[in-house]
Amino acid sequence: MNLLIKGVTIADPNSPFHLQVCNVRLQHGQIKAIDSSLPSLKDETVMEARGAFMSPGFFDLNCEAGDPGFETREDLQTLVETANAGGFTGLAVLPQTSPVVQSKSGVNYLLNKVRDLSAAVYPIGALSDGLEGKELAELYDMRQAGAVAFSDGDHPVKDDGFMSRAMQYAQGLDSLVMVYPENSAMAGKAQVNESKTSVLLGMKGIPALAEEMQISRDLFLMAYHDCALHFSTISTAGSVALIKKAKKEGLKVTCDVAAHHLVFTEELLLDFDSQYKVKPPLRDKNDVKALLNGLKEGTIDAVVSQHRPHEVEFKNVEFEIAKFGISALQTVLPLLLKAGLNPAQIAEKLAIRPRQLVKLAVPVINAGELADLVVYHPEKEWEFNGNTNCSKSVNSPLFGKVLKGKVLFTSYHQHFHQYE
């Protein structure tokens, strides 16, 4: 493909053209030239992109693939198509499949299936056998096979001794350990945030304390072992404060936040809409404000989709029996724009920092580099519906709504997609 993208603003802090309006020439999966006045050639297609931004392709640290075992929710092909439509050219997929990705063969299975797809897909290996938090999985073998991190996904690690041993072992492999911070004994079987809203709903709530106690435990273990740890999808003001303090004290702690936790609040649950049912639960306005501040000041390192596709029969039911999660990859960008992030912040938190956390090369918008990029228009509107949805699943509170912020084009080396 020969393409000239005209009048696009580069949003890449690592690029010498950062925040400049340029013409960008792509040829055979490579950025051939960047200049403010590149003329078009006879054999190339011209894409007018005035008002649009180009950044490195987005990278997601927290998404769920249905393959193996749950292909009716999402298979790897539809996962990547959905990711591309959301501006993502790289994904790290959680091990919570059936069977669990907890061995060399599981990692190899995924890598073989995604070899020719239009995004880079990396397996995250299970931290424990069966995600049960009792015995270490085959961390060394999975690391050698290509796992970029270890996690038990949505299963919090309950056992203090196991968490301590896992930290020590992963440290020797120089691998990122990602944990979902929840004290299960405190959270119990509750499904919403503990607050005045939970009282109005007549439901038991998950206190912020459940998340913050677990983070505190792991910070103590980190300090004891002098090792690194990543907290996935933090959601409370108290968590932001704990991690900010730990970073100032020199602990090797990192964290991320799901895009929907930067916009949605618990009041949206007053109609018992199960599409807003997520875990950690939606919190209050003060938590959202603290998360946004933490993101902008650098306490929170990255934004994730927390993509959890489900068949319709698991969401269109009574709130208490509905599954947790949103089919979210395609709507991360509109949510970040609604939250007030600018293009430079989006590039940093959605493309650059996520790759750095798992020690992957970060694409750069510059001549001579491979074309791993996204072009999006922050003001263009589109409707998220059956025609535009690329996922097998429709479990999103944004389904049927008009969203602002549209992906126009993605390129992952020789693969490219243009969206009207």
Side-chain angles (χ1 to χ4, degrees):
M1 176 202 65
N2 295 333
L3 176 68
L4 182 67
I5 302 174
K6 295 185 68 175
V8 70
T9 302
I10 309 296
D12 177 9
N14 295 327
S15 170
F17 301 97
H18 182 48
L19 299 183
Q20 295 182 34
V21 178
C22 300
N23 293 353
V24 180
R25 173 166 289 127
L26 306 182
Q27 290 182 354
H28 310 296
Q30 189 178 44
I31 302 174
K32 277 295 183 182
I34 302 178
D35 195 276
S36 59
S37 57
L38 280 178
S40 60
L41 304 176
K42 288 183 180 179
D43 62 341
E44 70 184 358
T45 303
V46 175
M47 175 182 168
E48 294 290 344
R50 186 70 57 181
F53 290 84
M54 176 185 288
S55 86
F58 303 151
F59 188 96
D60 192 30
L61 281 173
N62 191 302
C63 65
E64 188 177 276
D67 191 355
F70 303 109
E71 290 88 350
T72 52
R73 300 176 188 171
E74 197 83 282
D75 58 44
L76 289 163
Q77 179 68 47
T78 60
L79 178 75
V80 167
E81 289 173 0
T82 306
N84 289 158
F88 292 87
T89 59
L91 303 167
V93 294
L94 292 169
Q96 51 203 35
T97 47
S98 181
V100 172
V101 179
Q102 59 186 24
S103 65
K104 177 181 177 180
S105 61
V107 171
N108 285 336
Y109 170 83
L110 278 172
L111 290 175
N112 286 332
K113 291 206 74 170
V114 302
R115 189 170 293 160
D116 298 320
L117 299 182
S118 56
V121 180
Y122 300 92
I124 297 172
L127 190 62
S128 68
D129 281 343
L131 310 178
E132 294 177 351
K134 296 177 181 178
E135 299 292 334
L136 283 171
E138 298 174 13
L139 304 191
Y140 177 80
D141 286 348
M142 287 190 287
R143 177 66 168 160
Q144 293 297 106
V148 294
F150 300 111
S151 171
D152 275 354
D154 295 337
H155 300 257
V157 178
K158 301 176 186 178
D159 188 284
D160 304 341
F162 174 83
M163 190 70 241
S164 178
R165 293 189 296 275
M167 284 181 175
Q168 288 177 285
Y169 196 88
Q171 185 178 20
L173 300 176
D174 191 29
S175 292
L176 184 69
V177 171
M178 306 165 65
V179 292
Y180 168 58
E182 179 188 86
N183 183 303
S184 300
M186 288 292 298
K189 295 181 179 179
Q191 303 181 6
V192 298
N193 182 43
E194 183 183 82
S195 66
K196 293 178 181 178
T197 301
S198 64
V199 174
L200 286 172
L201 291 169
M203 300 178 72
K204 290 182 179 179
I206 301 174
L209 189 64
E211 180 171 304
E212 292 153 17
M213 283 178 66
Q214 195 82 342
I215 288 176
S216 296
R217 180 202 72 174
D218 290 342
L219 291 175
F220 275 115
L221 289 172
M222 287 179 65
Y224 183 71
H225 293 301
D226 188 27
C227 66
L229 190 69
H230 181 88
F231 293 107
S232 297
T233 61
I234 68 168
S235 65
T236 75
S239 296
V240 176
L242 284 167
I243 293 168
K244 183 176 182 177
K245 181 174 181 287
K247 285 191 170 188
K248 285 184 177 179
E249 292 172 353
L251 270 65
K252 303 167 191 173
V253 58
T254 55
C255 65
D256 63 56
V257 63
H260 44 262
H261 280 113
L262 298 171
V263 177
F264 299 154
T265 59
E266 60 184 350
E267 287 81 8
L268 293 166
L269 300 175
L270 289 172
D271 292 330
F272 294 96
D273 186 347
S274 63
Q275 302 297 350
Y276 287 105
K277 184 179 177 182
V278 291
K279 203 170 187 185
L282 299 181
R283 306 288 188 178
D284 67 24
K285 294 175 183 177
N286 292 328
D287 291 308
V288 170
K289 183 178 179 181
L291 291 168
L292 281 168
N293 288 338
L295 189 68
K296 292 175 181 178
E297 72 186 11
T299 299
I300 299 175
D301 296 86
V303 175
V304 298
S305 74
Q306 203 186 26
H307 181 68
R308 300 292 185 271
H310 288 296
E311 298 92 341
V312 65
E313 59 266 29
F314 290 108
K315 289 296 275 188
N316 289 359
V317 291
E318 292 86 352
F319 190 91
E320 288 201 8
I321 61 173
K323 295 283 188 180
F324 293 101
I326 294 173
S327 180
L329 270 170
Q330 213 169 325
T331 55
V332 171
L333 176 65
L335 288 180
L336 294 191
L337 291 167
K338 188 173 183 179
L341 271 66
N342 63 43
Q345 291 167 332
I346 290 172
E348 176 67 28
K349 302 297 184 180
L350 206 54
I352 297 170
R353 193 72 181 114
R355 288 181 171 90
Q356 291 173 339
L357 290 171
V358 288
K359 298 180 173 63
L360 294 173
V362 177
V364 179
I365 309 298
N366 201 5
E369 299 285 340
L370 289 172
D372 187 342
L373 54 88
V374 57
V375 178
Y376 65 90
H377 200 298
E379 298 298 325
K380 282 201 172 181
E381 294 184 340
W382 61 287
E383 185 176 330
F384 186 38
N385 56 32
N387 294 323
T388 56
N389 178 40
C390 295
S391 173
K392 284 187 174 182
S393 298
V394 296
N395 56 300
S396 169
L398 298 174
F399 204 77
K401 296 185 178 179
V402 174
L403 307 177
K404 182 180 283 190
K406 181 174 174 56
V407 171
L408 305 178
F409 179 83
T410 58
S411 176
Y412 174 65
H413 305 177
Q414 296 283 2
H415 302 276
F416 63 93
H417 298 275
Q418 190 166 353
Y419 303 93
E420 296 299 328

